[in-house]
């Protein structure tokens, strides 16, 4: 909880605490489900019960969006769905390039789910001659050596990094130099970048470490 | 930081704070790189500089593993690499079943990177007749209605959930009833499970929300 963050602003984009930002898509997932079912109103208590998040936290998170629930009735489902969608930017297209078209990179290009969340991968880059000049799901794969030359025409602000760890930092530097503004890092390597560059780390494999540890503990308890 | 957690135990598996567990794979990634390069010793200060984590936090995280660095020399790279690998369980095989073989599920089955981190997906389950009874990268895809019948022979403790959100909870319940001990949830829906069941949420798409928000802020600042 970040009780000290209260942003009063009339600009369209406000900096929200990361935990809040991460919870908003959970609410959207649930509210979207209610919308499909034709439900008209939902209270934070109801959301709380369904998704296991404290009701007061939900109310607080939603207050960042200037959505107010009505007493006894709750939030209007269609308004909540629209405001969350709009705020989260999932309906707007964001162009991205995929750096490293190995197993994970190719998988992410194939994952059409990303498009539903506003991410359009417009090109892939690699150094492996076996994948360069091919395409995956109509996304062209180019040679990394042409990156700086091709990037202006691709209109992409986001670079997704799925390269071997020993080149992760070097690739990040190349991307930043070429004008990429956000790095979505899927490698377990902690990349660094100049101030103003957005870095998002998604360590799929780090989650496995947590799962294995907890699983081992549980099996110890069962014995 | 969880300064109140100091676990003294002689059992092979100890409960570590989740932030520590999530950072250990970062250290492993860096240390593995050093090992490949033939580097013999590394200090927490050096690791700190390279991966942007406070040196005292690194020393503390590593102390959970009973690895002690030598004054002025630091940690022995090969020992550190071995201990991290061993502790994190990436070298041991963990069988898993994939529930939902849509775009994301199929991508995860195809991602051979998971095997390198000890995760073996031994079967997929779906209800879509177009994918049932096919296979992806030699992993057989079965009909979900045969789940309870097939699961004993699959020797899997982990269920990976990549189904549409409106069935996420129902699928989780089915898995738990059939004896699955850990749920790796890729849906944005917050599933719940009885005590003793390990739930790990990996919200790839939630990370996009954070990235879009920060990216929007940066572009506002640039204007």
């Amino acid at each position: 909880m970040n009780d000290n963050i209260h942003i009063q602003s009339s600009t369209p984009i406000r900096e929200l605490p990361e935990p809040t930002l991460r919870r908003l898509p959970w609410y959207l997932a649930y509210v979207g489900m209610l919308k499909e079912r034709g439900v008209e109103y939902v209270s934070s208590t109801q959301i709380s019960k369904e998704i296991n998040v404290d009701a007061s936290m939900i109310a607080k998170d939603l207050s960042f969006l200037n959505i107010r629930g009505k007493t006894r009735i709750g939030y209007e489902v269609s308004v909540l769905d629209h405001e969350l969608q709009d705020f989260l930017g999932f309906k707007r297209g964001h162009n991205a390039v995929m750096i490293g078209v190995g197993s994970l990179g190719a998988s992410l290009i194939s994952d059409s789910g990303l498009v539903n969340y506003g991410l359009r991968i417009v090109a892939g880059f690699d150094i492996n001659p076996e994948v360069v000049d091919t395409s995956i799901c109509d996304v062209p794969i180019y040679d990394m050596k042409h990156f700086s030359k091709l990037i202006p025409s691709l209109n992409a602000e986001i670079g997704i990094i799925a390269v071997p760890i020993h080149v992760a930092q070097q690739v990040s530097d190349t991307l930043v130099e070429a004008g990429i503004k956000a790095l979505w890092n899927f490698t377990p390597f902690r990349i660094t970048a100049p101030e103003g560059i957005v870095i998002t780390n998604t360590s799929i494999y780090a989650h496995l470490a947590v799962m294995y540890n907890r699983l081992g503990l549980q099996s110890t308890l069962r014995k």
Side-chain angles (χ1 to χ4, degrees), chain A residues 5-146:
Chain A
I5 301 182
H6 287 282
I7 298 160
Q8 300 290 338
S9 160
S10 60
T11 54
I13 297 158
R14 286 168 290 171
E15 178 155 19
L16 264 64
E18 183 160 336
T20 293
L21 276 169
R22 290 199 184 206
R23 281 189 297 264
L24 293 181
W26 307 352
Y27 309 151
L28 177 60
Y30 179 62
V31 167
M33 210 167 87
L34 294 180
K35 197 186 159 201
E36 269 181 39
R37 287 184 193 156
V39 176
E40 278 187 70
Y41 289 93
V42 65
S43 66
S44 48
T45 319
Q46 242 176 299
I47 304 178
S48 168
K49 259 174 70 183
E50 281 298 322
I51 67 172
N52 222 9
V53 174
D54 196 58
S56 63
M57 196 184 274
I58 296 173
K60 194 173 168 193
D61 286 345
L62 293 179
S63 72
F64 281 108
L65 281 79
N66 283 329
I67 307 173
R68 292 278 174 280
K70 290 179 198 161
T71 323
R72 285 170 219 248
I73 303 177
Y75 301 95
E76 206 172 328
V77 167
S78 62
V79 172
L80 196 49
D81 180 75
H82 178 271
E83 288 292 322
L84 282 166
Q85 286 276 11
D86 186 59
F87 184 85
L88 290 169
F90 291 157
K91 291 283 181 193
R92 291 186 288 279
H94 300 79
N95 283 2
V97 286
M98 170 65 68
I99 317 300
V101 189
S103 175
L104 180 62
S107 298
L108 289 169
I109 292 176
S110 317
D111 177 16
S112 56
L114 288 170
V115 177
N116 296 333
Y117 288 85
L119 195 82
R120 265 197 310 252
I121 302 177
V122 293
F125 289 88
D126 208 299
I127 55 165
N128 178 359
E130 280 179 38
V131 297
V132 166
D133 293 332
T134 65
S135 72
I136 297 170
C137 301
D138 293 327
V139 174
I141 313 302
Y142 302 117
D143 194 320
M144 190 63 197
K145 72 180 173 201
H146 301 312

Side-chain angles (χ1 to χ4, degrees), chain A residues 29 47 54 61 71 87 94 127 149 153 161 170-171 181 189 219:
Chain A
I47 304 178
D54 196 58
D61 286 345
T71 323
F87 184 85
H94 300 79
I127 55 165
K149 198 177 66 192
S153 64
I161 301 172
Q170 182 195 321
V171 158
K181 301 295 176 211
F189 191 79
S219 77

